[in-house]
């Protein structure tokens, strides 16, 4: 069995993270279901189709598709099934700001005067 002891500290408050594999899987399913529902609700409230904004969208959106499949979550009809940076309903900040070569997220954050991701990497 997979077991971890971890907590998240946000705004001075400590939150317990799931400690077992089963808890982590259940929490991920709730997070994904809530994520899709929130986007759907927001789009409906504005009377428009959703546009998913991501940095390196093909990786991020495909990952979310795979996690939804693992949990048996039906994707919303508007979700890009084969996401490309130029797909309808997708805005890829790496492609928009960096062209064909893309731009690193840390570089884009610095250019926009935003806090960067720090020491976190994709690994």
């Amino acid at each position: 069995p997979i077991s971890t002891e971890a907590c998240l500290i946000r705004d001075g408050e400590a939150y317990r993270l799931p400690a077992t594999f089963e808890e982590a899987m259940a929490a991920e399913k709730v997070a994904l279901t809530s994520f899709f529902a929130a986007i759907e609700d927001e789009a409906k409230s504005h009377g428009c189709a959703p546009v998913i904004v991501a940095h390196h969208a093909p990786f991020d959106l495909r990952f979310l598709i795979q996690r939804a499949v693992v949990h048996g979550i039906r994707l919303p009809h508007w979700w890009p099934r084969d996401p490309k940076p130029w797909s309808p309903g997708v805005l890829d900040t790496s492609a928009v700001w960096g062209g064909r070569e893309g731009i690193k997220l840390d570089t884009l954050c610095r250019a926009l005067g935003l806090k960067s991701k720090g020491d976190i990497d994709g690994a």
Side-chain angles (χ1 to χ4, degrees), residues 5-50:
E5 288 297 322
C7 71
L8 169 68
I9 299 176
R10 179 183 295 151
D11 299 326
E13 296 287 325
Y15 301 91
R16 179 183 170 275
L17 296 178
T20 67
F21 178 75
E22 291 77 16
E23 286 178 321
M25 291 294 283
E28 183 181 50
K29 184 174 185 175
V30 168
L32 285 170
T33 303
S34 299
F35 173 70
F36 292 134
I39 294 172
E40 183 85 29
D41 292 346
E42 189 69 20
K44 282 181 183 176
S45 74
H46 292 292
C48 63

Side-chain angles (χ1 to χ4, degrees), residues 43-122:
K44 282 181 183 176
S45 74
H46 292 292
C48 63
V51 174
I52 307 300
V53 179
H55 194 78
H56 192 59
F59 174 84
D60 295 338
L61 301 185
R62 187 163 288 111
F63 180 81
L64 290 171
I65 289 169
Q66 292 167 343
R67 298 312 301 163
V69 168
V70 165
H71 291 291
I73 299 169
R74 187 178 182 147
L75 291 168
H77 71 279
W78 44 263
W79 189 263
R81 295 313 200 266
D82 185 23
K84 307 276 189 279
W86 54 85
S87 295
V90 174
L91 188 136
D92 188 327
T93 56
S94 178
V96 168
W97 287 89
R100 186 177 299 263
E101 297 81 32
I103 186 172
K104 292 185 177 202
L105 182 57
D106 188 59
T107 303
L108 178 57
C109 287
R110 285 195 321 258
L112 296 173
L114 302 172
K115 184 178 178 185
S116 73
K117 61 183 183 173
D119 294 336
I120 299 172
D121 67 18

